[in-house]
């Protein structure tokens, strides 16, 4: 899990520890169910477990909870589920739909290859349909055929505030574009038309150029493809097929490649989004050639359909590199593989959590030491801050703690990492009673290392949404 | 720094401040196949989880992120006139604006409490197997 407040550049670096492991979901065989029931029961178990994990967010998303922020202010935070990054089977699991359907919209099975947009799933409507099916008001044919839902009645997202799960499902460039549309479909269609040997011969015939990968054995013999292999192939593929394919097919290939490249932009404007749509339209206009050449009968492929949702998603949540599945795949190594290997492989989950705790503890200590080294010269700011505080007990407690834990006293001005912090409760906020007329509060900090209590003035500050314009220094007031 | 044994080293690590605690919940699943005693078979599975609020707190309080964090939605424009919208970070998108500006404000809460949303952006969950690594 991570939070969207952190910039995506930081979020995607595994070394920054901006993603936290939230839980290990059970992988049960469910042998107590008969074969046909097992898959739907697995869906139900997943939703039950997610409900257990997320139940605290229901209240906090409505009421808000006070939290310390890195700028030293306490804010009232409303945690809301905004995006769910997953691959396609998992998206269907979350959206509770059949895998022959789209987890985001109501498109029917045989329309998925078209470029027409269907109306989006509506959370309330879906829940109503499920309820009706549970009470037996909808026939099984209608439920399976027209709605394409799974019979899961207790959904983890049903009670989450401000959350529309169908909107939360984000594009997945790695699986949908690089691996799915490009490699699994487009490349295999082209190699069927051209023939594997002819295509390999073209790859071999290419001259090597610095920065471009030379596929000297061709591509047909390669079994394992990684994300970066796909990207390297995309760079040369249009040049390889040009001249070998029909003119329309080349335009279709170019449409897909253009779309893939636009989709990876780290920053979009309305103009680039329009170009993305144009590229997709040019693929759809020319795709019929693959049917004419006999390599495809239809285009009812979920990955090709999913491209329709990219631009809307970017407008809602920002560019796609913030939701790349490459990061969770990378973290899977740290959180699951490395942790498992360090256990003795028996009752391993407990050992894995202990191992993760120890790794976290070392990271926290290390980052605290780095941070302390960088900030220890700011003694004058500490003094200025304590001047502001007019609570009588403050100077005493500062003096006392100074001899015991000078480190902590010095860092109090700027920030204290969470572990030196007890999060303020509402009770804490009311206890010092000295509410300032301008909305300042005094908050009690408890330092568990030496149990000293230090008072500190914090400001509950409002953040206003803003419009930001390029080249203008002062943002216009909101 | 030196330690006499692995044990003392581990103890030193364990005494460091800890990240969010794990908890274990046993989930009992009752099946539809009857066992030999005529009762439905059951299966117990383990669910290991952390408190999501502690996790958010941990992320939000980390001073390393001080320069990379934003608390409010923004509409970013490429030109002075505000015609060309730009979308990159999550807070420049429409969703955040919609939730923080329209929904929370319209409910008429006290001004200072509703201004900041910690939004969970991405969920990575344990996958049982994956090829490629």
């Amino acid at each position: 899990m991570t939070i969207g407040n952190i910039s995506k550049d930081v979020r995607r670096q595994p070394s920054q520890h901006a993603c936290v492991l939230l839980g290990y979901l059970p992988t049960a065989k469910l042998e107590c169910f008969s074969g046909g029931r097992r898959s739907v029961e697995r869906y139900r178990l997943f939703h039950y477990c997610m409900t257990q994990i997320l139940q605290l967010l229901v209240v906090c998303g409505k009421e808000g909870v006070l939290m310390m922020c890195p700028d030293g202010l306490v804010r009232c935070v409303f945690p809301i589920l905004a995006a769910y990054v997953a691959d396609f089977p998992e998206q269907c699991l979350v959206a509770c739909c059949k895998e022959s359907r789209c987890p985001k919209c109501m498109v029917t099975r045989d329309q998925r290859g078209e470029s027409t947009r269907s109306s989006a799933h509506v959370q309330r409507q879906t829940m109503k349909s499920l309820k009706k099916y549970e009470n037996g008001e909808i026939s099984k044919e209608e439920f399976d055929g027209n709605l394409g839902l799974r019979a899961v009645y207790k959904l983890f997202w049903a009670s989450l505030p401000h959350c529309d799960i169908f909107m939360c499902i984000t594009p997945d460039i790695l699986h949908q574009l690089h691996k799915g549309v490009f490699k699994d479909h487009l490349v295999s269609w082209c190699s069927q038309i051209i023939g594997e040997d002819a295509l390999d011969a073209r790859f071999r015939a290419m001259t090597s150029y610095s920065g471009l990968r030379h596929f000297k054995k061709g591509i047909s013999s390669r079994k394992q493809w990684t994300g970066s292999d796909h990207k390297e192939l995309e760079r040369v593929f249009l040049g390889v097929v040009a001249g070998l394919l029909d003119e329309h097919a080349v335009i279709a290939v170019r449409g897909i490649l253009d779309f893939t490249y636009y989709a990876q932009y780290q920053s979009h404007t309305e103009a680039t989004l329009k170009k993305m749509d144009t590229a997709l339209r040019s693929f759809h206009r020319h795709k019929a050639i693959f049917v004419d050449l006999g390599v495809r009968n239809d285009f009812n492929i979920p990955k090709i359909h999913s491209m329709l949702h990219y631009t809307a998603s970017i407008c809602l949540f920002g560019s796609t590199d913030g939701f790349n599945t490459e990061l969770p795949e990378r973290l899977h190594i740290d959180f699951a593989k490395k942790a498992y290997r360090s256990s003795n492989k028996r009752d391993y989950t407990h050992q894995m959590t202990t191992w993760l705790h120890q790794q976290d503890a070392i990271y926290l200590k290390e980052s605290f030491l780095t941070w302390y080294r960088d900030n220890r010269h700011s003694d004058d700011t500490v003094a200025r801050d304590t001047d502001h505080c007019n609570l009588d007990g403050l100077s005493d407690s500062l003096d006392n703690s100074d001899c015991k834990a000078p480190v902590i006293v010095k860092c109090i001005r700027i920030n204290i990492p969470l572990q030196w912090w007890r999060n303020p409760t509402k009770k804490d906020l009311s206890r010092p009673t000295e509410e300032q007329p301008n909305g300042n509060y005094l908050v009690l900090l408890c330092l568990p290392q030496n149990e000293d209590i230090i008072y500190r003035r914090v400001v509950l500050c409002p953040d206003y949404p803003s419009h930001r314009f390029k080249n203008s220094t002062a943002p216009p007031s909101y | 720094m030196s330690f006499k044994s692995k044990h003392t080293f581990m103890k030193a690590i364990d005494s460091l401040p800890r990240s969010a605690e794990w908890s274990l919940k046993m989930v009992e699943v009752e099946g539809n196949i009857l066992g030999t005693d005529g009762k439905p078979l059951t299966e117990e599975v383990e669910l290991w989880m952390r408190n999501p609020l502690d996790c958010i707190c941990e992320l939000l309080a980390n001073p390393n992120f001080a320069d990379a964090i934003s608390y409010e939605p923004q509409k970013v424009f490429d030109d002075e006139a505000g015609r060309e919208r730009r979308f990159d970070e999550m807070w420049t998108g429409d969703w955040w604006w919609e939730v923080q500006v329209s929904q929370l404000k319209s409910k008429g809460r006290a001004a200072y409490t509703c201004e900041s949303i910690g939004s969970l952006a991405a969920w990575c969950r344990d996958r049982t197997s994956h090829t490629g690594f």
Side-chain angles (χ1 to χ4, degrees):
Chain A
M1 185 201 65
T2 182
I3 51 174
N5 303 61
I6 300 173
S7 163
K8 59 188 164 68
D9 300 332
V10 174
R11 227 189 305 144
R12 66 155 169 253
Q13 297 171 28
S15 58
Q16 292 278 354
H17 292 251
C19 281
V20 179
L21 184 66
L22 200 61
Y24 288 109
L25 292 170
T27 50
K29 293 199 178 69
L30 296 181
E31 276 163 353
C32 52
F33 287 101
S34 52
R37 279 283 295 284
R38 239 171 249 170
S39 75
V40 73
E41 290 298 335
R42 193 162 288 141
Y43 270 54
R44 285 179 189 165
L45 180 63
F46 168 80
H47 277 273
Y48 175 78
C49 291
M50 290 299 284
T51 316
Q52 295 297 313
I53 296 176
L54 299 181
Q55 59 189 355
L56 274 171
L57 296 191
V58 178
V59 186
C60 296
K62 287 178 194 149
E63 310 283 324
V65 48
L66 295 171
M67 280 189 195
M68 178 78 168
C69 297
D71 54 1
L73 302 175
V74 171
R75 287 185 170 80
C76 188
V77 173
F78 293 80
I80 291 168
L81 176 66
Y84 197 110
V85 180
D87 57 7
F88 184 71
E90 231 168 282
Q91 289 178 349
C92 294
L93 171 67
V94 171
C96 206
C97 70
K98 289 229 148 80
E99 292 190 2
S100 58
R101 297 304 184 102
C102 170
K104 284 179 83 76
C105 72
M106 311 275 277
V107 69
T108 52
R109 278 185 77 120
D110 50 354
Q111 288 290 309
R112 284 174 297 162
E114 304 305 314
S115 58
T116 45
R117 285 162 210 273
S118 323
S119 55
H121 276 297
V122 182
Q123 192 161 314
R124 210 154 9 109
Q125 204 68 40
T126 310
M127 270 146 53
K128 222 186 256 172
S129 308
L130 287 167
K131 188 93 196 151
K132 275 188 186 164
Y133 184 66
E134 191 181 6
N135 298 338
E137 291 167 36
I138 306 182
S139 66
K140 192 161 167 39
E141 290 74 43
E142 162 88 5
F143 186 75
D144 283 348
N146 286 352
L147 296 167
L149 297 171
R150 295 268 190 163
V152 181
Y153 308 120
K154 293 207 170 71
L155 300 149
F156 77 86
W157 35 263
S159 50
L160 289 177
H162 304 296
C163 164
D164 181 345
I165 196 73
F166 303 112
M167 210 192 259
C168 286
I169 289 169
T170 51
D172 167 12
I173 291 192
L174 175 66
H175 294 105
Q176 286 172 345
L177 292 186
H178 294 317
K179 189 179 175 310
V181 174
F182 176 70
K183 178 69 190 39
D184 292 350
H185 300 302
L186 195 67
V187 172
S188 72
W189 300 341
C190 292
S191 83
Q192 276 181 50
I193 297 171
I194 301 167
E196 283 185 354
D197 293 337
L199 198 62
D200 285 349
R202 277 238 164 173
F203 275 109
R204 272 195 293 271
M206 272 178 63
T207 50
S208 57
Y209 181 77
S210 112
L212 274 191
R213 184 178 299 179
H214 184 223
F215 291 86
K216 57 177 178 283
K217 287 181 185 161
I219 53 166
S220 58
S221 57
R222 206 188 177 95
K223 291 283 176 293
Q224 282 273 349
W225 288 81
T226 64
S228 53
D229 290 339
H230 291 141
K231 286 175 205 160
E232 290 290 339
L233 185 59
E234 278 160 16
R235 296 172 73 180
V236 295
F237 193 70
L238 188 65
V240 167
V241 296
L244 282 177
L245 282 178
D246 183 274
E247 188 189 339
H248 290 288
V250 174
I251 298 176
V253 170
R254 205 188 120 181
I256 292 281
L257 287 171
D258 279 352
F259 184 85
T260 311
Y261 277 109
Y262 281 128
Q264 293 174 78
Y265 273 21
Q266 302 196 353
S267 182
H268 272 281
T269 62
E270 282 163 353
T272 58
L273 290 173
K274 265 193 204 112
K275 282 183 183 160
M276 225 168 130
D277 274 339
T278 318
L280 187 61
R281 266 203 303 279
S282 98
F283 165 74
H284 279 295
R285 247 200 321 271
H286 296 276
K287 72 186 172 194
I289 186 73
F290 293 110
V291 179
D292 295 344
L293 292 171
V295 290
R296 263 327 281 189
N297 294 326
D298 56 57
F299 294 92
N300 291 330
I301 299 165
K303 282 162 184 160
I304 288 190
H305 171 77
S306 71
M307 292 197 290
L308 287 175
H309 298 299
Y310 271 58
T311 43
S313 218
I314 291 169
C315 290
L316 281 172
F317 297 115
S319 59
T320 51
D321 57 330
F323 306 99
N324 209 331
T325 41
E326 278 172 59
L327 173 68
E329 300 287 8
R330 167 70 184 73
L331 290 175
H332 183 250
I333 299 178
D334 285 353
F335 289 159
K337 293 196 165 182
K338 279 191 185 168
Y340 178 72
R341 278 176 205 146
S342 64
S343 75
N344 66 1
K345 286 105 179 146
R346 273 175 208 284
D347 292 329
Y348 44 83
T349 322
H350 182 66
Q351 298 176 44
M352 284 160 79
T353 55
T354 317
W355 184 85
L356 282 172
H357 257 310
Q358 288 167 345
Q359 299 289 318
D360 279 351
I362 293 171
Y363 163 73
L364 286 167
K365 186 71 183 173
E366 205 175 275
S367 63
F368 174 71
L369 289 176
T370 326
W371 171 84
Y372 169 62
R373 200 177 51 230
D374 297 346
N375 288 287
R376 71 178 147 193
H377 299 301
S378 51
D379 289 5
D380 50 330
T381 53
V382 177
R384 226 185 305 131
D385 189 54
T386 48
D387 286 348
H388 281 301
C389 293
N390 51 5
L391 206 79
D392 293 333
L394 180 69
S395 52
D396 290 342
S397 65
L398 276 178
D399 287 343
N400 288 340
S401 59
D402 206 26
C403 52
K404 281 184 210 155
V407 177
I408 288 168
V409 174
K410 280 184 183 136
C411 60
I412 189 163
R413 165 64 184 90
I414 313 116
N415 292 301
I416 304 169
L418 172 78
Q419 280 61 38
W420 285 267
W421 243 84
R422 185 163 62 80
N423 228 24
T425 58
K426 286 213 170 102
K427 210 166 123 207
D428 290 334
L429 282 178
S430 59
R431 189 156 35 187
T433 63
E434 287 190 32
E435 191 178 326
Q436 307 292 317
N438 56 1
N440 293 357
Y441 290 81
L442 289 161
V443 170
L444 184 74
L445 299 189
C446 196
L447 309 174
Q449 280 197 332
N450 54 6
E451 296 302 321
D452 274 333
I453 291 168
I454 294 175
Y455 290 99
R456 163 140 200 255
R457 193 218 304 252
V458 290
V459 187
L460 283 173
C461 86
D463 295 310
Y464 285 108
S466 62
H467 289 87
R468 191 150 55 84
F469 295 86
K470 205 177 183 183
N471 305 329
S472 62
T473 43
S477 61
Y478 171 67
Chain B
M1 202 188 290
S2 63
F3 293 94
K4 280 199 177 119
S5 66
K6 195 177 97 185
H7 177 70
T8 48
F9 175 60
M10 285 307 198
K11 244 171 93 177
I13 290 180
D14 286 338
S15 67
L16 289 173
R18 293 166 74 82
S19 54
E21 290 296 334
W22 287 88
S23 60
L24 170 64
K25 194 180 160 82
M26 298 305 286
V27 181
E28 200 178 279
V29 189
E30 197 182 280
N32 63 351
I33 298 179
L34 297 183
T36 44
D37 55 351
K39 283 180 190 161
L41 287 177
T42 57
E43 193 171 327
E44 265 206 342
V45 293
E46 287 181 0
L47 169 64
W48 286 87
M49 57 187 192
R50 275 164 147 176
N51 180 344
L53 288 179
D54 288 348
C55 293
I56 296 170
C57 206
E58 197 178 311
L59 289 171
L60 209 54
N62 190 339
N64 290 348
F65 302 143
D67 301 329
I69 210 160
S70 172
Y71 305 102
E72 69 279 333
Q74 286 179 341
K75 285 190 178 177
V76 182
F77 295 94
D78 254 17
D79 50 343
E80 289 273 359
R83 281 194 209 96
E84 189 76 6
R85 256 309 266 291
R86 180 165 278 281
F87 302 95
D88 43 19
E89 292 287 359
M90 187 157 177
W91 52 83
T92 61
D94 285 337
W95 177 85
W96 197 319
W97 189 273
E98 187 67 27
V99 173
Q100 189 155 349
V101 180
S102 325
Q103 297 196 8
L104 290 178
K105 276 234 166 105
S106 63
K107 287 191 176 161
R109 289 165 189 241
Y112 68 85
T113 56
C114 64
E115 305 296 348
S116 169
I117 298 178
S119 48
L120 307 176
W123 298 86
C124 47
R125 79 174 183 86
D126 172 28
R127 291 233 177 82
T128 46
S129 67
H130 188 263
T131 54
F133 293 107

